[in-house]
Amino acid sequence: SCSMPDVAGEAKASSNDDIIDKFRELLTSSESNPANWKERAEELLRQSLVSRERRTTFTFGDDDDSSEESRDSSEMAAQANSSKPQLGEVLPTLERTIEELENDWNRGADLLPGDVLRLLNRGKAKSRELEGRLPDYETAVAVRRAFVAPLDRLAKLPYTDYDYKFVTNACCENVVGYVPVPVGVAGPLKINGELPIYVPMATTEGALVASTNRGCTAIMKSGGVSAHIYAEGMTRAPVVQFERAHEAVKLKQWVDAPDNFAKLKSEFDASSRFAKLDRLEVRLDGRQAHLRFTGKTGDAMGMNMISKATSQSMKFLQSVFPTMKVVALSGNSCTDKKAAAINWISGRGRSVVADCVLPASVVKSVLKTTPAALAEAARAKLDSGSAAAGAIGGSNAHAANIVAAVFIATGQDAAQVVSSSMCATRLEALECGSLYASVTLPCVECGTVGGGTVLPAQRSCLEMLGIAGPSPATCAPGTNAAALAQIIAATVLAGELSLMAALCTDDLVSSHLKLNRSRLNLYETQSAASLPTVQLLHPNMQPIRGKSSDRTIKVNCSSIL
Ligand code: ADP
């Protein structure tokens, strides 16, 4: 219910909008002095938003407002005598003490954004409470921005025109805006003879999309790529402990018996219509045991789903082994978001292989090299070099570049690039003269439902690929997520071909200098006169001499590449 008996509904709505607009305007346009920005932000907000009439427009859901009425009756009388304030007019401040505001806040009453900011600044309200206490998510974000930094410092971090309902309690906390990342497309790319697609890549690495695009052209001219899932299963591995090792051995023997596995599976599968337990491996470490559950999760990447399902199975296991102590539901042999040989060897998420055969003529016309040169570079770099580095799942050129870009564009969990980009790349010169190229990615951890896939922009990228959300009813659950894994592998192949070719022809540095370096004068901020005269902290921090137009990052960093 809305406690504003004296204001008509429509007028309320528009006045509310006006206030929010004004508030946003203040947040984005005001200049602030770093020395007193908190006070200045508060003052700006209070001057414009503190009238009784305007305050009431923010009073939502307060059923017991008798105390509010009596406390503010004198203010209201004063208000009634004055003429109706115009929007933007600076009104006299109606003082309310911090104690008054704090009391109102603590009893759950609604406050003006400016007053909430005053409480935040004094540690009387918590940043995390804003979304639940202000009239809309965007206002909550706006108040938090005024709380965390001088307003002008955040001016270029956008926060309007974003549907925060998909974010709150789902994707991010303490939100102050969103970082726009450019999205390019690589393609067309024909996978398994289907209609060609364009693959969205969100990146700030210049040359990456162009290079992947070149790889797509080579693949298209060679008839397309074939990509197949050869294993599937998200994993979660709790660690448990007994008093002595022999009990852990008993646990392993019990779990390994097919009848007992079936009992655990029925608990696991009952937790979600999409969770299906396929394997459970037990590894011992003295009196501790690591139980790695592997199961299908439909179109979800599956970490939430598999954790819930594992927890349900573990409750059952606990009833069979009362002395077992579950030390952690995630015991690191899962392994999520850490480089680990177990993922490389056993797989996680979807295991995908993609390959194609490129005629020598295409290798020459598009990639400007030869199958033999590519095969030689692959042996030296991908086989010998990766071995020399002791790489785990790293015998590839830059799979992570493509995986990260597609992950970010399509709302995947970016940290899972760690395992998802494990990739073996193979380039072989065939006797017929063509080039055989393959990539094998055993751990593509991706989904088309859940997580960041629900965010509108990310969902659009999935829509573009025709695989947003749950798989159609005519397909098995997981078909969409599998298609995404196949697309990622196919695009990785394109990226690998192009970068390996660039290495063969020594184009890497020149194309990066051309496409990966801004020629805008980005960092011209300090004049020589304003450079500090005090001792610099680092011996390399020399003041830059010369005309002011020369003082750019290009001058500073010309030796990096
Ligand atoms: P994750 O496990 O990837 O973190 P969640 O479990 O949080 O994702 O989100 C998946 C949710 O989507 C679950 O509630 C699940 O029941 C629902 N869902 C709807 N359709 C599907 C589908 N086709 N595949 C998997 N989950 C689905």
Side-chain angles (χ1 to χ4, degrees), residues 154-181:
L154 283 176
K156 295 271 165 54
L157 179 75
Y159 77 102
T160 55
D161 301 320
Y162 199 89
D163 207 343
Y164 289 106
K165 74 168 174 288
F166 294 109
V167 175
T168 307
N169 296 328
C171 290
C172 188
E173 302 77 38
N174 271 348
V175 175
V176 290
Y178 50 91
V179 173
V181 181

Short mmCIF file of all heavy atoms in Angstrom, two decimals, residues 154-181:
data_model
loop_
_atom_site.label_atom_id
_atom_site.label_comp_id
_atom_site.label_asym_id
_atom_site.label_seq_id
_atom_site.Cartn_x
_atom_site.Cartn_y
_atom_site.Cartn_z
N LEU A 154 32.68 8.45 -11.54
CA LEU A 154 31.87 7.36 -12.07
C LEU A 154 31.08 7.77 -13.31
O LEU A 154 30.30 6.99 -13.82
CB LEU A 154 30.91 6.85 -11.00
CG LEU A 154 31.50 5.95 -9.92
CD1 LEU A 154 30.45 5.61 -8.89
CD2 LEU A 154 32.06 4.68 -10.54
N ALA A 155 31.29 9.01 -13.74
CA ALA A 155 30.42 9.55 -14.79
C ALA A 155 30.40 8.68 -16.05
O ALA A 155 29.38 8.58 -16.73
CB ALA A 155 30.86 10.97 -15.15
N LYS A 156 31.51 8.02 -16.35
CA LYS A 156 31.57 7.23 -17.59
C LYS A 156 31.18 5.77 -17.37
O LYS A 156 31.24 4.97 -18.29
CB LYS A 156 32.99 7.30 -18.18
CG LYS A 156 33.37 8.70 -18.63
CD LYS A 156 32.96 8.92 -20.07
CE LYS A 156 32.97 10.38 -20.51
NZ LYS A 156 34.20 11.09 -20.28
N LEU A 157 30.85 5.42 -16.14
CA LEU A 157 30.36 4.05 -15.89
C LEU A 157 28.83 4.12 -15.97
O LEU A 157 28.19 4.66 -15.07
CB LEU A 157 30.79 3.55 -14.51
CG LEU A 157 30.29 2.15 -14.17
CD1 LEU A 157 31.08 1.09 -14.92
CD2 LEU A 157 30.37 1.88 -12.67
N PRO A 158 28.24 3.58 -17.03
CA PRO A 158 26.79 3.73 -17.17
C PRO A 158 26.02 2.93 -16.13
O PRO A 158 26.52 1.93 -15.61
CB PRO A 158 26.51 3.21 -18.58
CG PRO A 158 27.68 2.39 -18.96
CD PRO A 158 28.85 2.86 -18.15
N TYR A 159 24.83 3.41 -15.82
CA TYR A 159 23.99 2.62 -14.92
C TYR A 159 22.51 2.70 -15.27
O TYR A 159 21.72 1.96 -14.71
CB TYR A 159 24.20 3.06 -13.46
CG TYR A 159 23.53 4.35 -13.08
CD1 TYR A 159 22.34 4.35 -12.36
CD2 TYR A 159 24.07 5.56 -13.46
CE1 TYR A 159 21.72 5.55 -12.02
CE2 TYR A 159 23.46 6.75 -13.13
CZ TYR A 159 22.28 6.75 -12.42
OH TYR A 159 21.67 7.92 -12.09
N THR A 160 22.16 3.60 -16.20
CA THR A 160 20.74 3.71 -16.55
C THR A 160 20.43 2.74 -17.70
O THR A 160 21.32 2.14 -18.29
CB THR A 160 20.41 5.14 -17.00
OG1 THR A 160 21.30 5.49 -18.06
CG2 THR A 160 20.59 6.12 -15.86
N ASP A 161 19.13 2.62 -17.99
CA ASP A 161 18.66 1.75 -19.08
C ASP A 161 19.15 0.32 -18.93
O ASP A 161 19.63 -0.29 -19.89
CB ASP A 161 19.12 2.30 -20.45
CG ASP A 161 18.58 3.70 -20.69
OD1 ASP A 161 17.42 3.94 -20.32
OD2 ASP A 161 19.33 4.54 -21.21
N TYR A 162 19.09 -0.18 -17.73
CA TYR A 162 19.51 -1.57 -17.51
C TYR A 162 18.44 -2.26 -16.67
O TYR A 162 17.94 -1.68 -15.72
CB TYR A 162 20.85 -1.59 -16.76
CG TYR A 162 21.58 -2.89 -16.88
CD1 TYR A 162 22.47 -3.11 -17.91
CD2 TYR A 162 21.38 -3.91 -15.95
CE1 TYR A 162 23.15 -4.31 -18.03
CE2 TYR A 162 22.05 -5.11 -16.07
CZ TYR A 162 22.93 -5.31 -17.12
OH TYR A 162 23.60 -6.49 -17.23
N ASP A 163 18.10 -3.45 -17.05
CA ASP A 163 17.03 -4.13 -16.34
C ASP A 163 17.58 -4.87 -15.13
O ASP A 163 17.93 -6.05 -15.21
CB ASP A 163 16.31 -5.09 -17.30
CG ASP A 163 14.87 -5.29 -16.87
OD1 ASP A 163 14.58 -4.96 -15.70
OD2 ASP A 163 14.07 -5.76 -17.68
N TYR A 164 17.65 -4.15 -14.00
CA TYR A 164 18.29 -4.72 -12.82
C TYR A 164 17.51 -5.87 -12.19
O TYR A 164 18.04 -6.54 -11.32
CB TYR A 164 18.57 -3.62 -11.79
CG TYR A 164 19.67 -2.68 -12.22
CD1 TYR A 164 19.38 -1.40 -12.66
CD2 TYR A 164 21.00 -3.09 -12.22
CE1 TYR A 164 20.39 -0.54 -13.07
CE2 TYR A 164 22.01 -2.25 -12.63
CZ TYR A 164 21.71 -0.97 -13.06
OH TYR A 164 22.71 -0.14 -13.47
N LYS A 165 16.29 -6.08 -12.64
CA LYS A 165 15.55 -7.19 -12.01
C LYS A 165 16.22 -8.54 -12.33
O LYS A 165 16.11 -9.48 -11.56
CB LYS A 165 14.08 -7.19 -12.43
CG LYS A 165 13.78 -7.65 -13.83
CD LYS A 165 12.26 -7.88 -13.99
CE LYS A 165 11.88 -8.21 -15.42
NZ LYS A 165 11.99 -7.06 -16.34
N PHE A 166 16.94 -8.59 -13.44
CA PHE A 166 17.64 -9.84 -13.75
C PHE A 166 18.94 -9.99 -12.97
O PHE A 166 19.54 -11.05 -12.93
CB PHE A 166 17.98 -9.90 -15.25
CG PHE A 166 16.76 -9.97 -16.12
CD1 PHE A 166 16.37 -8.90 -16.90
CD2 PHE A 166 15.99 -11.13 -16.16
CE1 PHE A 166 15.25 -8.96 -17.70
CE2 PHE A 166 14.87 -11.21 -16.95
CZ PHE A 166 14.49 -10.12 -17.72
N VAL A 167 19.38 -8.87 -12.38
CA VAL A 167 20.67 -8.85 -11.70
C VAL A 167 20.52 -9.12 -10.21
O VAL A 167 21.24 -9.94 -9.63
CB VAL A 167 21.35 -7.46 -11.90
CG1 VAL A 167 22.62 -7.36 -11.10
CG2 VAL A 167 21.61 -7.21 -13.38
N THR A 168 19.52 -8.42 -9.61
CA THR A 168 19.36 -8.46 -8.16
C THR A 168 19.03 -9.87 -7.68
O THR A 168 18.16 -10.54 -8.24
CB THR A 168 18.25 -7.47 -7.75
OG1 THR A 168 18.57 -6.20 -8.32
CG2 THR A 168 18.16 -7.34 -6.24
N ASN A 169 19.75 -10.30 -6.69
CA ASN A 169 19.60 -11.66 -6.13
C ASN A 169 19.89 -12.76 -7.15
O ASN A 169 19.43 -13.89 -6.99
CB ASN A 169 18.20 -11.88 -5.54
CG ASN A 169 17.96 -10.97 -4.36
OD1 ASN A 169 18.90 -10.64 -3.63
ND2 ASN A 169 16.73 -10.53 -4.18
N ALA A 170 20.59 -12.45 -8.19
CA ALA A 170 20.89 -13.48 -9.19
C ALA A 170 22.31 -13.37 -9.75
O ALA A 170 23.03 -14.36 -9.81
CB ALA A 170 19.88 -13.42 -10.34
N CYS A 171 22.69 -12.17 -10.17
CA CYS A 171 23.94 -12.07 -10.91
C CYS A 171 25.02 -11.22 -10.24
O CYS A 171 26.20 -11.42 -10.51
CB CYS A 171 23.69 -11.51 -12.31
SG CYS A 171 22.81 -12.64 -13.37
N CYS A 172 24.64 -10.24 -9.42
CA CYS A 172 25.67 -9.34 -8.88
C CYS A 172 25.11 -8.59 -7.67
O CYS A 172 23.91 -8.34 -7.60
CB CYS A 172 26.10 -8.36 -9.97
SG CYS A 172 27.52 -7.34 -9.52
N GLU A 173 25.98 -8.25 -6.75
CA GLU A 173 25.58 -7.49 -5.57
C GLU A 173 26.35 -6.16 -5.56
O GLU A 173 27.33 -5.99 -6.27
CB GLU A 173 25.90 -8.25 -4.27
CG GLU A 173 25.23 -9.61 -4.16
CD GLU A 173 25.90 -10.66 -5.00
OE1 GLU A 173 27.15 -10.64 -5.06
OE2 GLU A 173 25.21 -11.48 -5.63
N ASN A 174 25.87 -5.25 -4.70
CA ASN A 174 26.51 -3.94 -4.55
C ASN A 174 26.72 -3.26 -5.90
O ASN A 174 27.80 -2.74 -6.20
CB ASN A 174 27.87 -4.09 -3.85
CG ASN A 174 27.72 -4.00 -2.35
OD1 ASN A 174 26.67 -3.61 -1.83
ND2 ASN A 174 28.77 -4.35 -1.63
N VAL A 175 25.69 -3.27 -6.71
CA VAL A 175 25.83 -2.84 -8.10
C VAL A 175 25.97 -1.31 -8.19
O VAL A 175 25.24 -0.58 -7.53
CB VAL A 175 24.61 -3.31 -8.91
CG1 VAL A 175 24.66 -2.79 -10.34
CG2 VAL A 175 24.54 -4.83 -8.92
N VAL A 176 26.92 -0.85 -9.00
CA VAL A 176 27.07 0.59 -9.25
C VAL A 176 26.95 0.91 -10.75
O VAL A 176 27.13 2.05 -11.15
CB VAL A 176 28.41 1.14 -8.71
CG1 VAL A 176 28.43 1.16 -7.20
CG2 VAL A 176 29.59 0.36 -9.26
N GLY A 177 26.64 -0.07 -11.55
CA GLY A 177 26.51 0.17 -12.98
C GLY A 177 26.90 -1.07 -13.75
O GLY A 177 26.89 -2.18 -13.21
N TYR A 178 27.26 -0.86 -14.99
CA TYR A 178 27.68 -2.00 -15.81
C TYR A 178 28.77 -1.54 -16.76
O TYR A 178 28.83 -0.39 -17.16
CB TYR A 178 26.50 -2.59 -16.60
CG TYR A 178 25.69 -1.58 -17.35
CD1 TYR A 178 26.00 -1.25 -18.67
CD2 TYR A 178 24.64 -0.90 -16.75
CE1 TYR A 178 25.26 -0.30 -19.36
CE2 TYR A 178 23.91 0.06 -17.43
CZ TYR A 178 24.22 0.35 -18.73
OH TYR A 178 23.51 1.31 -19.41
N VAL A 179 29.65 -2.46 -17.09
CA VAL A 179 30.77 -2.13 -17.98
C VAL A 179 30.41 -2.59 -19.40
O VAL A 179 30.25 -3.78 -19.64
CB VAL A 179 32.06 -2.84 -17.52
CG1 VAL A 179 33.17 -2.65 -18.54
CG2 VAL A 179 32.49 -2.30 -16.17
N PRO A 180 30.24 -1.67 -20.32
CA PRO A 180 29.94 -2.09 -21.68
C PRO A 180 31.19 -2.67 -22.33
O PRO A 180 32.25 -2.05 -22.29
CB PRO A 180 29.51 -0.81 -22.39
CG PRO A 180 29.39 0.23 -21.31
CD PRO A 180 30.28 -0.21 -20.19
N VAL A 181 31.09 -3.83 -22.88
CA VAL A 181 32.22 -4.45 -23.58
C VAL A 181 31.82 -4.58 -25.05
O VAL A 181 30.72 -5.07 -25.33
CB VAL A 181 32.53 -5.86 -23.00
CG1 VAL A 181 33.72 -6.49 -23.70
CG2 VAL A 181 32.75 -5.78 -21.52
#
